[in-house]
Amino acid sequence: MNTTSATECLLELCEEHLGLEDYQSGVPRWCTGCGDNAILAAVQRLCRDEGLRPEKTVFVSGIGCSSRFPHYMKTYGFHGIHGRALPVAEGVKMSRPDLDVFVNTGDGDCCSIGAAHWIHAIRYNMNLTVFLHDNQIYGLTKMQASPTSPIGTRSNTSPRGSVLEALNPLTVTLGVQNASFVAQAVDWVPELLYDIVKAAYRHRGLSFVRIVQRCPEWMPKLHDPWLHDPNRVQVLHHERGLQLSAALGRVYRNQLAHDPRDLDAARRIAGNDDAIPVGILYHDPEVPCYEDLKKSTLLRTPALIRAGVEAQFDKYTVWPKVAETAPAEHQAA
Amino acid sequence: MDAIATHAERVAFHLTGRRGATVREAGTLRPALQARYRDVAALRHDYPVVLAASGDVAAVSLTSLVDAALARVATGGDGDRTRRQVLRVEHQIRVLVEHGAEGTLGELWGDAVQRLLPGRDASFADAARRARAAIAVDGPVVRCDPNLPHRLLEHAWQRAQTRKHAALRDRLVRLIQQLSDILRVDFEQSNAGRSAARLQASVGSGHQGLFDFDAMASLLATGAAHPPMADARRERIRRLLAVLDAQAFVALPDDGAARAAGSAVYDHRFESCTAALAAWNERQPRLVELARAIEVAELEIDGRYHAERHDALFAAYGASGLDAEVLSRFPDLLVCIDGTTLDADEQRKLMEILAGELPIKILYRVDDLLAAPEAKGTSPGLRCRQIAHMAMGLNQVYVLHAAASHLVACGARIDDAMRFAGPALFCVYTGASGATAGTSTYLAAAAAMESRAFPAFVYDPAGGADWASRFYLDGNPQAELDWPIHRFEYEDARHQRVSVDLAFTFADFAAADPRFAVELARLPAAADESDLVAVDEILLRGAGPLAERVPFVRMIDERDRLHAVVVDQRLLRKARGCREMWHSLQELGGVHNSHAERLLERERAAWEDAHAAAAAAAPVATAVVAAADSPETTTSPAPAAAEDTAPSRDDAYIETARCSTCNECTQINPKMFAYDANRQAYIADLKAGTYAQLVEAAESCQVSVIHPGKPLDPNEPGIAGLLERAEAFR
């Protein structure tokens, strides 16, 4: 029998309830029509619905349009340097495992300069929620091809069209050891976006969500074929994944029942070029988190800290007075 | 004496207890089914047990440990020899323990090997060493004696308490640490904390001459001032620390000085319910105080304590008692009582503990189940059963009723009971009364369970919402029968093997007790048995006319010779009562449940009636074909789908659920278009803008969820062009 104690009931009555606007900080300066607005709305809804305490929530970002995100959330935030959102977030998590840590990174920040950190962050599987705002272009720096830009993209750095096939963040993530949660969303289906964001938050481990987002400024027509033809969005559903509402099911009829535990099927779906798969591709709740594996059971008492400091100081002693007056055994190491 | 006179004497003894010439006193006889169990030490059974400090269960039988070790080491060509050698060690340990040897498994194993070593080759020592290495468990070895239930249950209780103590201790240490940190930080940010003297004290004595502490203090004083902690909060935290430090429920790592000053940790073991209840009532206020301090401390550490909201709440904390979930974090009490000498007052206190749902575990030990035939009042076994039933009736008491021989098999249940948040009652028959009959305690306890005189059952309130989930009869042999039936083989007068099925009934169990010799009469050897009927048979089918059949049991003497022993009416009545009590337990356990059987019967009758009616109607059935294919038939109404009522094509609307919050429409006209609580757009005020803005918003919308409908003002400039543009969105 699962019962709630009377004390907990009474304490819950005194809990504060925050509205969506309590998480809003400033007016976003993203372009009108930018998909980042949809992601911001979905994340603010998540914070409200999950009752996340602003002082216990952190958004960490790198550089790019996506990385303006922490400025618009009335929580703790860290707008870091290019490509380093993930290691900063990992550092936050290791020192304060009690905080809810989110990462906002872009296709350049994560898949280009930050690629090395990305690989190992997946492997470490720390309890973070990572949103890859993939607009398939470098937007903040005014239109350069990114690793995820489709082949043939004309940009300032590829005036004759990019010559390489686009990197697929999903197949890369699914190919790394210890991947525990991989999902894809699109910013123009807000209901699925919210459900995926919520599932990602609730997963204990590194939740990697690639959000295909529109860039109305530099790539205004890129996603039109998928935007205007719902059948080119393949919605993944399963009792262990997302469940579709009736209304959504009537619009998005291209549906696939996919068990998120099936890694091989996830990899096949991730490589789908024709329809964009939207949903949870892979979910393994059993993968251990790095911070749990490294958790120390020692309480950081002053005595413990003092003992550690003393042990380090004992390794050498530097005498500030004249060296020749010091006994020979006390020479600096 | 002829057969009729012989039969008359048997009937007379059965009805009146008066003996004739052909029915003698029973003498020292044992139930025939116990023939193979004369020397328990020679048999592999559940005892002795090893009381394990760690692992899944509290007590593991030596037999199972040796079997597991043999599965690992007795492999290959030497497997058989290794097995024999290790079993010899096991037997030796069992013999040592039966003769009173005490010690841990490691010590007794070494002792047994040393005794067996002379005259054996090197492979024996090697096999013993390898088998011992394969046994990961160690602990005191305990035989099945009258003290076993106390030792085993206390050990299980201690294991559970160790876990609770550790969890509570860690929590208290963390809270004390963190509360102290809060005060320390507040102090260090205060003027006193930044004074020159304090700074000087914080620097090591070696280099104090290097610093100007006054200058440092004045520098720090000019920095940004931190507002000091409110006095009320500081005082509250100090009070919390005082309560946490002074608590007496668990020992904390650094409280040696406090303990030396006289505030000892509570002892949680008692020898009577009266003492336990008195201690509980006396400790209750301190328990409430500590539980409240823990809750407040957690809130303080998280910074979520608001005096205006929480002071009143916690002022009344625990006024009506603490819930089971809060109590489960604190140590339980253990009470061991002797049911044979329980007086009325103690019984009242026992029921008070059980009815009050207090976290107290009670061992109700019964050494003797049966009362002498001439004794008045309720037998100890029956009183124990009554108390167990009353406890089950309270619904919130974990009840385990088992003979000592069965405790090892109940290991997991015992651990569950110790982890259970409320009271637990362990009713255990020790088998001590078997000593009077020259039987080992293990055998007497096993016989009590076998004969349903002391059956095993468990009631677990946390098992589920219904009786099927909470009540267990598993462990009782052949629980679907009145009595367990075993194959019994003997040699007859012509030296032929005879094999019969014998039931082990209550009469067999009582017949082993010398006090019941007056209710038994032994027939001479080779007496005619045609008028005899087994006790189980007579209880099942009835005796028939009184003069025809006489109940009997089979017993053996000290030379293992078989005897037929007539049972008198008093003993038969007790056996019938035992059988009926077993039936009621079976019903509770879902075996031959009369309600279920009646329901099944009703359903079967209904099904048969329906089947018969269908069979009768089938030959004249006319085909009624649904006219679904007929063109003039209208199709049936579509199934009620969860369709929202679609707005009219002429109304302007936004499919808000699909809005992607891109700000296109709100940028065009923030009065006409607004965001709802989920930051998705809806038409707030259609009159706040023009139809042109509506159409522009529809064209700008990234996900095409804006539908302009028809204009409010048909005279708006450029309306024709706007309507044409809007057509794509209708």
Side-chain angles (χ1 to χ4, degrees), chain A residues 73 83-84 179 196 258 294 298 306:
Chain A
M73 290 294 297
R84 319 303 165 188
I196 291 168
H258 163 66
K294 297 294 282 182
L298 299 176
R306 193 175 304 118

Side-chain angles (χ1 to χ4, degrees), chain A residues 227-239:
Chain A
L227 208 63
H228 300 305
D229 181 5
N231 288 327
R232 295 195 70 180
V233 171
Q234 184 180 54
V235 181
L236 308 176
H237 66 92
H238 193 267
E239 60 179 4

Side-chain angles (χ1 to χ4, degrees), chain A residues 98-111:
Chain A
D98 58 309
L99 302 179
D100 289 314
V101 182
F102 296 85
V103 177
N104 299 95
T105 183
D107 44 310
D109 192 73
C110 177
C111 306

Side-chain angles (χ1 to χ4, degrees), chain B residues 504-542:
Chain B
F504 194 81
T505 68
F506 178 84
D508 295 89
F509 172 68
D513 190 326
R515 293 174 292 181
F516 285 82
V518 295
E519 296 182 357
L520 301 163
R522 178 161 58 91
L523 300 182
D528 177 33
E529 294 183 1
S530 58
D531 61 340
L532 300 179
V533 62
V535 166
D536 63 310
E537 190 76 21
I538 208 170
L539 288 176
L540 185 65
R541 300 186 205 292

Side-chain angles (χ1 to χ4, degrees), chain B residues 215-266:
Chain B
M216 283 168 69
S218 66
L219 270 174
L220 288 171
T222 57
H226 287 266
M229 188 189 299
D231 288 342
R233 188 182 183 213
R234 190 179 303 110
E235 186 50 40
R236 186 168 55 244
I237 292 178
R238 286 204 182 115
R239 276 202 305 274
L240 288 174
L241 281 169
V243 170
L244 296 178
D245 279 330
Q247 62 78 32
F249 292 91
V250 288
L252 297 180
D254 297 329
D255 62 357
R259 300 302 164 210
S263 56
V265 175
Y266 290 136

